[in-house]
Amino acid sequence: MRQALDLAAAAAADGDVPVGAVVVDAAGTVIGTGRNTRERDADPTGHAEVVALREAATALGSWRLEGCTLVVTLEPCTMCAGAVVASRVSRLVFGPFDDKAGAVGSLWDVVRDRRLNHRPEVVSGVLAEESSALLREFFASHR
């Protein structure tokens, strides 16, 4: 999560919402990293989770990320929660819940929806205060 927080800070420095993500394989090796790049790249899908999942899939040579863990500094949105399910990530770890757009328990719970074909283990609240502080500072400076 510390590496994801560093990536989130880098996103903020580029004017993007400070969210960072890291994918680790079953051995604990980092195989994908990402940070929000929507503003920098003018890409609506440039969310940290999607960027990290793409990099991890490239590293493995497969879209199936079974046995991998996605660590992200904020509860994923609906797009990113869908990408978690589609990629078959085994575990999702995130910081604070996102009451405005969260799709892992706040507004929706996409990753635990029994109608879908995959449901990862979920761990929430990891270094939540540190991530929340980054977000508060970012939005305070953009108001």
Side-chain angles (χ1 to χ4, degrees), residues 75-76 94 96-109 112:
E75 177 186 8
F94 66 90
F97 284 95
D98 182 351
D99 294 335
K100 294 181 181 176
V104 186
S106 289
L107 298 178
W108 301 278
D109 201 349
R112 293 185 195 103

Side-chain angles (χ1 to χ4, degrees), residues 6 16 22 31 49 67 79 87 107 111 123:
D6 290 343
D16 271 293
V22 175
I31 59 169
E49 301 94 324
M79 176 181 70
S87 68
L107 298 178
V111 300
V123 178

Side-chain angles (χ1 to χ4, degrees), residues 1-21 33-41 46 48 73 134-135 137-138 142:
M1 184 62 84
R2 294 264 179 229
Q3 186 173 356
L5 285 166
D6 290 343
L7 291 161
D14 280 345
D16 271 293
V17 175
V19 179
T33 62
R35 60 189 178 107
N36 275 2
T37 60
R38 290 187 311 167
E39 297 297 331
R40 185 190 75 188
D41 297 346
T73 59
L134 268 176
L135 290 160
E137 291 167 17
F138 176 81
H142 285 78

Side-chain angles (χ1 to χ4, degrees), residues 1-130:
M1 184 62 84
R2 294 264 179 229
Q3 186 173 356
L5 285 166
D6 290 343
L7 291 161
D14 280 345
D16 271 293
V17 175
V19 179
V22 175
V23 178
V24 296
D25 66 14
T29 303
V30 173
I31 59 169
T33 62
R35 60 189 178 107
N36 275 2
T37 60
R38 290 187 311 167
E39 297 297 331
R40 185 190 75 188
D41 297 346
D43 178 2
T45 66
H47 288 209
E49 301 94 324
V50 171
V51 173
L53 291 169
R54 284 181 182 148
E55 190 173 293
T58 298
L60 291 180
S62 174
W63 61 267
R64 291 178 183 88
L65 301 179
E66 293 152 337
C68 295
T69 299
L70 172 65
V71 180
V72 61
T73 59
L74 183 64
E75 177 186 8
C77 69
T78 53
M79 176 181 70
C80 295
V84 167
V85 171
S87 68
R88 309 295 196 278
V89 166
S90 295
R91 179 182 298 125
L92 168 64
V93 176
F94 66 90
F97 284 95
D98 182 351
D99 294 335
K100 294 181 181 176
V104 186
S106 289
L107 298 178
W108 301 278
D109 201 349
V110 172
V111 300
R112 293 185 195 103
D113 191 321
R114 296 235 175 251
R115 295 169 293 182
L116 299 175
N117 62 338
H118 178 74
R119 286 176 296 285
E121 174 188 351
V122 176
V123 178
S124 61
V126 177
L127 297 180
E129 185 48 44
E130 289 89 336

